[in-house]
Amino acid sequence: QLACQHELRNWDLWGPLFLCLWLALTLGAGAGSSQSAMVFAGVFVIVWFGAAVITLNTQLLGGNISFFQSVCVLGYCLFPLNIAALIGVLIENLAVRFIVSSAAFVWASFASIAFLSGCVTPARKALAVYPIVLFYVFLAWMIVING
């Protein structure tokens, strides 16, 4: 846990911004031409607003993490969902998109939970993890239905 806390001190927002833009562009490209701008804007807003809500929730639960550290972790954990979105755009099969998105959801959730759950007390761990899981479920579902 000490190693996680040390890594959290090295936060940045360029990587999460890049991954958010990549996800928004990929899902926007997979949507129809009339909806691509709306999908891009929706994904961009959902990622940043969702990260802000999760961060606020963690801090209200007594977490010892800064706003930017949490947003950084949640943003970097978008990487598996980016790969799933890219595969989803290239492969039109719904079953394949569902399986790949489910695997990406599990990967992203476990990666972010490993960092963020150590910031709250064990009694409040479930309350901190629940919004993280909802956040990644929503994004994974957007990948599945995009097409």
Side-chain angles (χ1 to χ4, degrees), residues 104-130:
F105 155 71
V106 170
W107 181 6
S109 295
F110 275 111
S112 62
I113 289 168
F115 278 100
L116 296 179
S117 67
C119 296
V120 295
T121 62
R124 296 180 177 179
K125 187 175 182 177
L127 293 172
V129 168
Y130 180 70

Side-chain angles (χ1 to χ4, degrees), residues 12-13 16 48 51-52 55 66-76:
D12 74 293
L13 296 179
W48 291 106
T55 302
S66 78
F67 181 80
F68 295 119
Q69 288 171 332
S70 178
V71 169
C72 176
V73 168
L74 293 167
Y76 273 114

Side-chain angles (χ1 to χ4, degrees), residues 1-142:
Q1 183 172 349
L2 187 60
C4 287
Q5 294 297 328
H6 177 68
E7 287 299 318
L8 285 175
R9 288 191 203 122
N10 299 326
W11 61 269
D12 74 293
L13 296 179
W14 289 109
L17 177 64
F18 172 75
L19 291 172
C20 177
L21 287 173
W22 178 15
L23 183 63
L25 285 170
T26 305
L27 291 177
S33 61
S34 64
Q35 295 181 341
S36 63
M38 187 175 5
V39 170
F40 175 86
V43 170
F44 194 82
V45 168
I46 288 166
V47 167
W48 291 106
F49 183 73
V53 168
I54 291 170
T55 302
L56 181 63
N57 180 56
T58 304
Q59 288 179 341
L60 289 174
L61 290 172
N64 56 352
I65 188 169
S66 78
F67 181 80
F68 295 119
Q69 288 171 332
S70 178
V71 169
C72 176
V73 168
L74 293 167
Y76 273 114
C77 289
L78 287 174
F79 179 74
L81 294 171
N82 282 324
I83 299 300
L86 187 61
I87 292 170
V89 167
L90 298 176
I91 299 174
E92 295 288 324
N93 189 344
L94 182 64
V96 171
R97 281 198 316 245
F98 182 77
I99 292 168
V100 171
S101 296
S102 298
F105 155 71
V106 170
W107 181 6
S109 295
F110 275 111
S112 62
I113 289 168
F115 278 100
L116 296 179
S117 67
C119 296
V120 295
T121 62
R124 296 180 177 179
K125 187 175 182 177
L127 293 172
V129 168
Y130 180 70
I132 296 170
V133 171
L134 282 179
F135 176 66
Y136 289 123
V137 161
F138 188 78
L139 291 174
W141 185 249
M142 287 186 69

